[in-house]
Amino acid sequence: MQSLDLPPLPIGPGPLVWLDFVGIAVFAVSGALLAAKKQQTLVTFFFFALVTGVGGGTLRDLLIGAPVFWVRHNETLIVIIIATLAAWFIKSLRNSERPLLWFDALGLAAYSVYGASKALRYGVAPLPAVVMGIMTACVGGIIRDVLAGEPSILMRPELYVTAAAFSSGLFVLLVSAGVPLLLAAVVAGLLGFSLRGAAISRGLSLPAYKD
């Protein structure tokens, strides 16, 4: 049987690092807005933005043996501080739940592709790399919801984790088939975003277990 292992991509920031900042910014805003919903302080806004923005990526880096991405430079925390202040001062953000669902969908697709890409760069096998992409996109939101006492994103009836899995899995599949990295990222990200968008607009969901 042919091995599924791929040669690792070069270790470094990688050409898809911009996807990382898209995911961080969007999820940081979503975390801060949940703090706004709970009528919390600015410090809590920042904390929720931080755990939502970096939670999944931190766990990913610890599992793949990479340096934790946000502790070696300032850019990530600058993005999170900006997201925190935007949620605190821009009232229209707090009154625009529907548009933010679409921004969240963009972040989900971007983060799942980037997470899988980084895992491949560190020599992770394709199937675990798919899981790393899912974790990158979803774990921060799970931590946020647990801390806030909100129903977890895992319990959402419409497609959410499935959309992350689709983006991550498609990206790894395309790279495995020899598709150029940037093209694979664009295709996987757009299709994952489209799937999540269909779930938002049409309420698409997987069939639930019934005893």
Side-chain angles (χ1 to χ4, degrees):
M1 180 181 295
Q2 185 177 4
S3 171
L4 288 174
D5 291 342
L6 294 172
L9 300 175
I11 292 177
L16 304 183
V17 69
W18 55 275
L19 290 175
D20 193 25
F21 286 104
V22 170
I24 291 165
V26 171
F27 286 131
V29 168
S30 75
L33 289 176
L34 184 54
K37 177 182 174 182
K38 299 289 183 179
Q39 298 183 324
Q40 296 297 309
T41 67
L42 183 60
V43 172
T44 306
F45 270 54
F46 174 76
F47 182 76
F48 272 49
L50 178 67
V51 298
T52 309
V54 307
T58 298
L59 181 59
R60 174 205 63 219
D61 287 350
L62 292 173
L63 289 173
I64 68 176
V68 176
F69 70 103
W70 59 275
V71 300
R72 297 204 171 190
H73 59 79
N74 295 317
E75 288 84 354
T76 298
L77 289 181
I78 289 172
V79 169
I80 290 172
I81 290 169
I82 292 171
T84 300
L85 295 176
W88 181 268
F89 287 110
I90 302 175
K91 187 176 181 180
S92 59
L93 277 178
R94 301 193 294 273
N95 297 327
S96 55
E97 184 173 349
R98 186 78 176 176
L100 279 170
L101 284 175
W102 289 95
F103 278 108
D104 183 79
L106 178 64
L108 186 79
Y111 233 11
S112 56
V113 169
Y114 179 77
S117 170
K118 186 167 185 179
L120 291 177
R121 292 206 316 274
Y122 275 80
V124 176
L127 290 179
V130 173
V131 176
M132 293 300 106
I134 298 169
M135 290 175 56
T136 303
C138 298
V139 166
I142 294 171
I143 297 172
R144 173 201 64 206
D145 292 342
V146 170
L147 291 174
E150 291 283 308
S152 172
I153 57 174
L154 291 173
M155 301 301 165
R156 291 184 182 180
E158 80 277 6
L159 300 179
Y160 190 88
V161 177
T162 304
F166 180 72
S167 284
S168 179
L170 181 59
F171 172 76
V172 171
L173 181 64
L174 291 174
V175 171
S176 301
V179 175
L181 191 69
L182 289 176
L183 178 59
V186 170
V187 171
L190 286 177
L191 291 180
F193 173 76
S194 299
L195 180 60
R196 176 61 185 148
I200 293 170
S201 59
R202 301 185 181 182
L204 295 183
S205 63
L206 295 175
Y209 173 77
K210 294 182 180 179
D211 195 353

